[in-house]
C-alpha cells in the first residue's frame, strides 16, 4: 500500500503511468499559429472573390451614387431624390411593391394546395413532376413562351384564343367588319355604325345594296356570285346585297358584275318612323326578300353586320401587363414552393393528424388548425426566398413586356439596367437604384437569418 505524506499531498503515480487528473499537455504556440496560417490560406481565395465580387461593387455603388452623371462632380442626394420624383422610377417602385405582395403569396399558396392535394392521390408524383418542370426552363425561355401566350392575335396567342372561343360561344361575331358603301352607292350612314338607303323603297322594286371594304378572308366560304334580284310579285320587295368589287379591276359601281360575290348572311331591315317593320337575311348569292309591309320604308343594314370581331384581352396592355407577367412567374415558381412544402409535409407527425380526425375534426379543420401551423417554418422559408427573388426580377419583365408597355411594367431591376446602359446612361441614378435594392433586400435577409438562428436553438 502506498503511504500518504504529511501535508495531504497526493501519492506519486506508479512508474510508467501518466499523472492522475486532466492532462496538462499544452499545444505549443507554434502549432496553433501554423493551423491559423493553413486556415487563412484555404479561406483567402474565397475572401478575395467575396471582396472582388461583392464587397467592392457594393462600396463603389454607394460611392458612385453620390456623383453626377459624368462621375466627376459631387451630386449629394440628388440621385436619391430622383428616385422619388421621377415618374418612371416611381412606377418601378410601385410595381416592385405589387410584385413583393402578390407573386410570393400566390406561388406559396398554390404550392401549399398542390402539396396537400397530391399527397393522397396515386399519380401525385407525376403531377408534382409536371408542376415542377417549369423550374428547368430559364427565365429567357419562359419569357419567350409567355410573350407568345399573351399575343394579341388569337391565331398565335393561346390566352386570347381561349378568350375569343368562349366569347364567340355566347355572342356571335360580325360577318363583315369594316364594310362600307361608296359615295356613289344608294346607301348613306344611318348612325351608330349602320347604313340606310337614301330613298324609301316601293313594292315591286329590286333594291341594290352594294358594299366595299370586305377583306377576301372575311367573305363566307360558301358565298356565290351575286345575282341581280328580279321584281317580286304580291307587293314584296326583293334586293341584292353584294361586294361591289371585281378582282383585278373593272366592273361598274352599283351594277352586279359576274365575278362579284353576294354578302351571304347579312341582315337587312325595313325601317319606318324609326321602327323595324320587317327584316330578312341575304342568301349565298346576296338576294333577300322583304314582305309587303316594307313598302315605303327605308332599307337599313344594322350596325351588327359591321361590328369589329372580338379579338380577346389586351394582356400586354398598360392595365394587365404586370398581372400577366406575375402569372408567368407563378407558373415557374409554384413548383419550387410545392416541392419544399411537400418535403415539410412528409415530416409531420401523422399521429397528431389522425388523433384530430378521431376527435371529430374534418379535413378543413385539420388543415387549418394543425397542418398549416406545423408547416409555418417551411412556409416562411418559401415566402422569404421568393420575396428576395422577386425584388431582383428582371428577365421576365424585359422579355414579355412590349416596348409600348415597358414603362407600365417597369421594376427596379429593369430600371437599373435602363439607367446604367445606353446612350443616355446615368450611372449616378443607376447606382442609387442599386443601393435602394440592397436596402430593400437587407430587412428580408435579416428576418431570414434571425428565423434560422431561432430554429437552430430549438
Amino acid at each position: 500500500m502506498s503511504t500518504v505524506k504529511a501535508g495531504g499531498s497526493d501519492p506519486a503515480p506508479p512508474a510508467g503511468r501518466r499523472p492522475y487528473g486532466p492532462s496538462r499537455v499544452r499545444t505549443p504556440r507554434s502549432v496553433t499559429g501554423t493551423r491559423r496560417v493553413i486556415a487563412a490560406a484555404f479561406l483567402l481565395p474565397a475572401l478575395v472573390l467575396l471582396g472582388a465580387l461583392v464587397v467592392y461593387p457594393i462600396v463603389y455603388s454607394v460611392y458612385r451614387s453620390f456623383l453626377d452623371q459624368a462621375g466627376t462632380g459631387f451630386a449629394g442626394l440628388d440621385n436619391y431624390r430622383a428616385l422619388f420624383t421621377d415618374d418612371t422610377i416611381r412606377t418601378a417602385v410601385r410595381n416592385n411593391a405589387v410584385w413583393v405582395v402578390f407573386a410570393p403569396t400566390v406561388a406559396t399558396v398554390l404550392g401549399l394546395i398542390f402539396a396537400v392535394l397530391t399527397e393522397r392521390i396515386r399519380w401525385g408524383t407525376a403531377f408534382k413532376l409536371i408542376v415542377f418542370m417549369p423550374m428547368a426552363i430559364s427565365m429567357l425561355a419562359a419569357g419567350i413562351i409567355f410573350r407568345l401566350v399573351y399575343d394579341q392575335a388569337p391565331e398565335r396567342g393561346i390566352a386570347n384564343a381561349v378568350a375569343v372561343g368562349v366569347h364567340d360561344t355566347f355572342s356571335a361575331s360580325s360577318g363583315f367588319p369594316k364594310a362600307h358603301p361608296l359615295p356613289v352607292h344608294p346607301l348613306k350612314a344611318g348612325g351608330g355604325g349602320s347604313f340606310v338607303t337614301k330613298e324609301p323603297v316601293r313594292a315591286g322594286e329590286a333594291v341594290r345594296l352594294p358594299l366595299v371594304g370586305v377583306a377576301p378572308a372575311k367573305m363566307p366560304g360558301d358565298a356565290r356570285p351575286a345575282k341581280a334580284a328580279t321584281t317580286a310579285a304580291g307587293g314584296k320587295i326583293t334586293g341584292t346585297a353584294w361586294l361591289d368589287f371585281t378582282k383585278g379591276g373593272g366592273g361598274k359601281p352599283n351594277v352586279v358584275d359576274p365575278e362579284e360575290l353576294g354578302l351571304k348572311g347579312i341582315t337587312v331591315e325595313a325601317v319606318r318612323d324609326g321602327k323595324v317593320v320587317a327584316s330578312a337575311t341575304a342568301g349565298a348569292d346576296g338576294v333577300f326578300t322583304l314582305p309587303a309591309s316594307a313598302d315605303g320604308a327605308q332599307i337599313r343594314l344594322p350596325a351588327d353586320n359591321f361590328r369589329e370581331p372580338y379579338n380577346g384581352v389586351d394582356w400586354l396592355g398598360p392595365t394587365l401587363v404586370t398581372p400577366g407577367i406575375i402569372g408567368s412567374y407563378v407558373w415557374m415558381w409554384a413548383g419550387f414552393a410545392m416541392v419544399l412544402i411537400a418535403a415539410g409535409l412528409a415530416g409531420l407527425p401523422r399521429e397528431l393528424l389522425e388523433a384530430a380526425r378521431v376527435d371529430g375534426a374534418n379535413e378543413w379543420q385539420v388543415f387549418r388548425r394543425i397542418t398549416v401551423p406545423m408547416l409555418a417554418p417551411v412556409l416562411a422559408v418559401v415566402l422569404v426566398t421568393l420575396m428576395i427573388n422577386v425584388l431582383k426580377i428582371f428577365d421576365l419583365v424585359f422579355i414579355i413586356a412590349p416596348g409600348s408597355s415597358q414603362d407600365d411594367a417597369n421594376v427596379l431591376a429593369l430600371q437599373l439596367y435602363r439607367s446604367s446602359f445606353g446612350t443616355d446612361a446615368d450611372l449616378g441614378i443607376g447606382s442609387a437604384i442599386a443601393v435602394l435594392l440592397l436596402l430593400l433586400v437587407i430587412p428580408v435577409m435579416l428576418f431570414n437569418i434571425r428565423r434560422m438562428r431561432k430554429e437552430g436553438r430549438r
Side-chain angles (χ1 to χ4, degrees):
M1 294 180 64
S2 62
T3 58
V4 179
K5 296 182 180 179
S9 59
D10 294 335
R17 295 188 181 180
R18 299 179 62 184
Y20 300 122
S23 174
R24 291 180 170 82
V25 179
R26 295 182 179 180
T27 303
R29 292 183 179 180
S30 59
V31 176
T32 304
T34 303
R35 291 178 178 176
R36 290 179 178 175
V37 171
I38 294 175
F42 278 103
L43 290 175
L44 184 61
L47 293 176
V48 171
L49 289 176
L50 184 66
L53 301 180
V54 178
V55 178
Y56 172 74
I58 291 176
V59 173
Y60 183 78
S61 295
V62 174
Y63 164 74
R64 185 64 179 83
S65 67
F66 291 103
L67 301 181
D68 58 13
Q69 182 175 4
T72 56
F74 182 71
L77 297 177
D78 290 346
N79 293 326
Y80 291 95
R81 192 177 296 112
L83 300 183
F84 302 98
T85 56
D86 185 88
D87 290 338
T88 303
I89 301 178
R90 284 194 299 177
T91 300
V93 174
R94 184 174 62 250
N95 286 340
N96 259 104
V98 173
W99 272 89
V100 170
V101 172
F102 289 100
T105 304
V106 175
T108 303
V109 170
L110 284 178
L112 176 62
I113 294 173
F114 290 155
V116 172
L117 294 182
T118 57
E119 187 183 21
R120 296 185 178 181
I121 58 178
R122 185 179 305 173
W123 42 273
T125 302
F127 179 83
K128 291 177 182 178
L129 178 63
I130 295 173
V131 175
F132 187 76
M133 198 175 295
M135 283 295 298
I137 303 175
S138 68
M139 287 282 194
L140 172 64
I144 294 173
I145 290 172
F146 274 86
R147 181 67 181 267
L148 294 175
V149 168
Y150 292 139
D151 196 290
Q152 184 65 38
E155 59 270 17
R156 292 194 299 270
I158 187 172
N160 271 340
V162 173
V164 170
V166 173
H167 176 273
D168 291 349
T169 301
F170 301 97
S171 178
S173 297
S174 166
F176 307 99
K178 298 182 179 181
H180 60 277
L182 293 175
V184 296
H185 287 162
L187 290 168
K188 64 179 181 179
S194 65
F195 300 102
V196 298
T197 54
K198 297 176 181 178
E199 302 293 337
V201 297
R202 297 298 176 183
E205 291 183 2
V207 183
R208 296 179 179 180
L209 304 178
L211 293 174
V212 295
V214 182
K218 296 294 183 181
M219 289 295 293
D222 53 351
R224 299 204 303 264
K227 180 181 178 183
T230 57
T231 303
K236 295 182 179 181
I237 297 174
T238 60
T240 304
W242 81 100
L243 180 63
D244 194 11
F245 172 78
T246 303
K247 291 183 179 180
K252 299 179 180 180
N254 296 328
V255 176
V256 179
D257 295 306
E259 296 183 3
E260 295 174 348
L261 299 176
L263 299 176
K264 179 187 177 183
I266 196 168
T267 302
V268 181
E269 297 176 342
V271 182
R272 184 186 296 111
D273 298 328
K275 296 182 180 180
V276 178
V277 296
S279 63
T281 302
D285 55 4
V287 176
F288 60 89
T289 302
L290 292 170
S293 58
D295 183 27
Q298 285 182 296
I299 304 301
R300 180 174 70 181
L301 298 176
D304 288 345
N305 291 313
F306 314 110
R307 186 179 62 249
E308 289 289 337
Y310 180 72
N311 288 321
V313 181
D314 189 9
W315 296 104
L316 300 181
T319 304
L320 295 178
V321 62
T322 294
I325 299 174
I326 290 176
S328 65
Y329 177 88
V330 171
W331 174 77
M332 288 192 67
W333 287 88
F336 167 81
M338 178 196 65
V339 170
L340 291 188
I341 295 172
L345 195 61
L348 294 184
R350 299 298 168 179
E351 56 272 12
L352 292 180
L353 305 179
E354 297 301 329
R357 296 187 180 98
V358 170
D359 289 340
N362 57 37
E363 292 300 324
W364 169 246
Q365 291 173 328
V366 172
F367 173 77
R368 183 167 60 92
R369 296 182 179 273
I370 299 177
T371 304
V372 172
M374 295 186 70
L375 284 175
V378 179
L379 296 177
V381 170
V382 174
L383 196 62
V384 171
T385 302
L386 294 181
M387 287 176 66
I388 296 174
N389 186 267
V390 299
L391 282 172
K392 304 178 294 181
I393 194 69
F394 166 81
D395 316 63
L396 291 178
V397 181
F398 182 72
I399 297 168
I400 296 178
S404 59
S405 299
Q406 202 163 88
D407 285 343
D408 300 283
N410 199 16
V411 290
L412 285 174
L414 177 59
Q415 185 60 38
L416 169 62
Y417 168 79
R418 296 169 68 179
S419 297
S420 303
F421 299 94
T423 56
D424 195 28
D426 189 337
L427 291 179
I429 292 180
S431 299
I433 296 174
V435 174
L436 176 61
L437 272 175
L438 176 65
L439 294 177
L440 292 175
V441 171
I442 285 177
V444 183
M445 294 178 60
L446 292 178
F447 170 80
N448 202 24
I449 293 172
R450 182 180 179 185
R451 184 198 55 76
M452 293 173 63
R453 288 179 177 176
K454 185 177 180 182
E455 290 293 326
R457 289 195 296 265
R458 290 183 178 179

